[in-house]
């Protein structure tokens, strides 16, 4: 997790989230360029008395400021649509986890493994260890294998929650009576944190998500111990 004073985005932990970061930088390059151009034109109009006269009723100028925004929007739209569709594309998952939001904890069910399920509450301050994250750590971590496509099917048992993992660039609403899904595939062993990002009641701030990616062998050993 980035500290509170961080100025930049968090380190991304999957290929899909890295593509979103690249798209962000690509879009920002256009935004900076347009901002500089508009600033230059504002300064030119303010300083030069003949700038408006020289640029009025010029066919080439009008053609350029009509077509240039169209080209810029197309240049931004094509990679945006590609990245969004690649993230939403249906993958064939190797592992499925059912996630149920409740006031105010998460329930995880590994239905592929004899209906293993458990509740995950925020770790109390009295139980925190030296390396624990206050308000972000939980008593039961979500364990998944890395380099394995994992599908999370998300719903709610009471009110609307939102399952958010910033370092995977995923956020999905948990809506009662409806099942939404996200796909994640960590690239390496890791521990990452998230939170409910939909105001769901008085303890909304106290239902964190703690996801841990381990090797396949360690994951199988963990499953066998449950």
């Amino acid at each position: 997790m980035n500290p509170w004073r961080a100025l930049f985005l968090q380190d991304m932990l999957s290929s899909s989230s890295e593509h979103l970061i690249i798209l962000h930088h690509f879009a920002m390059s256009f935004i900076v360029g347009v901002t500089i151009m508009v600033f230059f034109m504002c300064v030119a109009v303010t300083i030069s008395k003949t700038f408006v006269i020289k640029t009025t009723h010029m066919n080439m100028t009008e053609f350029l400021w009509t077509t240039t925004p169209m080209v810029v929007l197309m240049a931004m739209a094509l990679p945006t649509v590609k990245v969004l569709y690649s993230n939403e594309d249906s993958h064939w998952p190797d592992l499925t986890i059912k996630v149920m939001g409740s006031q105010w904890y998460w329930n995880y069910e590994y239905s592929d493994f004899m209906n293993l399920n458990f509740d995950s509450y925020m770790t109390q301050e009295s139980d925190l260890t030296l390396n624990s994250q206050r308000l972000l750590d939980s008593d039961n971590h979500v364990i998944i294998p890395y380099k394995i496509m994992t599908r999370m099917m998300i719903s709610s048992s009471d009110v609307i929650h939102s399952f958010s993992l910033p370092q995977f660039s995923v956020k999905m609403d948990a809506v009662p009576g409806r099942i939404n899904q996200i796909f994640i595939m960590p690239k390496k062993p890791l521990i990452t944190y998230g939170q409910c990002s939909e105001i769901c009641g008085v303890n909304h701030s106290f239902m964190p998500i703690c996801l841990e990616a381990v090797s396949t062998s360690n994951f199988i050993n963990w499953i066998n111990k449950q």
Side-chain angles (χ1 to χ4, degrees):
M1 292 289 290
N2 280 12
W4 62 269
R5 62 184 180 277
L7 298 177
F8 302 102
L9 298 172
Q10 299 185 39
D11 294 333
M12 296 295 107
L13 301 177
S14 66
S15 57
S16 59
S17 56
E18 287 178 349
H19 292 158
L20 286 174
I21 291 294
I22 294 171
L23 177 62
H24 169 268
H25 296 337
F26 179 71
M28 283 300 297
S29 65
F30 282 102
I31 293 171
V32 170
V34 170
T35 303
I36 292 173
M37 183 181 68
V38 171
F39 177 77
F40 168 77
M41 294 182 67
C42 290
V43 172
V45 169
T46 303
I47 295 176
S48 175
K49 296 181 179 179
T50 61
F51 180 81
V52 176
I53 298 175
K54 291 179 179 179
T55 55
T56 303
H57 303 297
M58 293 180 61
N59 292 336
M60 182 55 67
T61 303
E62 293 182 2
F63 174 79
L64 289 175
W65 71 35
T66 301
T67 57
T68 301
M70 181 179 64
V71 172
V72 171
L73 290 175
M74 288 297 296
M76 294 177 61
L78 293 177
T80 300
V81 171
K82 180 180 179 180
V83 171
L84 290 177
Y85 270 90
S86 65
N87 288 340
E88 294 294 332
D89 191 17
S90 59
H91 306 275
W92 186 257
D94 302 297
L95 174 66
T96 297
I97 301 174
K98 295 179 181 178
V99 182
M100 187 70 70
S102 300
Q103 292 177 312
W104 288 272
Y105 63 94
W106 296 98
N107 174 268
Y108 301 98
E109 179 181 335
Y110 291 71
S111 53
D112 295 334
F113 300 94
M114 299 179 65
N115 291 325
L116 165 66
N117 85 68
F118 55 85
D119 296 331
S120 179
Y121 292 85
M122 184 187 73
T123 303
Q124 301 300 314
E125 284 197 47
S126 57
D127 298 326
L128 292 174
T129 60
L130 183 62
N131 296 321
S132 298
Q133 299 285 339
R134 179 177 176 271
L135 300 182
L136 289 174
D137 220 328
S138 61
D139 55 358
N140 290 311
H141 293 186
V142 189
I143 309 295
I144 63 173
Y146 66 91
K147 294 185 178 179
I148 294 292
M149 182 60 68
T150 300
R151 175 176 61 178
M152 292 190 167
M153 304 181 68
I154 300 166
S155 188
S156 171
S157 61
D158 38 48
V159 299
I160 297 177
H161 302 275
S162 186
F163 189 85
S164 174
L165 289 170
Q167 289 189 285
F168 285 100
S169 296
V170 296
K171 183 173 74 170
M172 183 59 69
D173 286 344
V175 182
R178 177 176 176 177
I179 297 178
N180 295 321
Q181 63 181 11
I182 57 174
F183 297 89
I184 59 174
M185 186 170 67
K187 299 191 298 183
K188 58 183 179 180
L190 56 90
I191 296 179
T192 187
Y193 302 94
Q195 290 177 301
C196 175
S197 57
E198 181 75 29
I199 297 177
C200 56
V202 64
N203 287 330
H204 156 69
S205 300
F206 307 111
M207 49 183 302
I209 302 159
C210 186
L211 184 143
E212 184 174 352
V214 299
S215 65
T216 304
S217 58
N218 288 339
F219 174 75
I220 293 174
N221 291 335
W222 175 77
I223 289 292
N224 291 333
K225 292 178 181 178
Q226 301 305 308

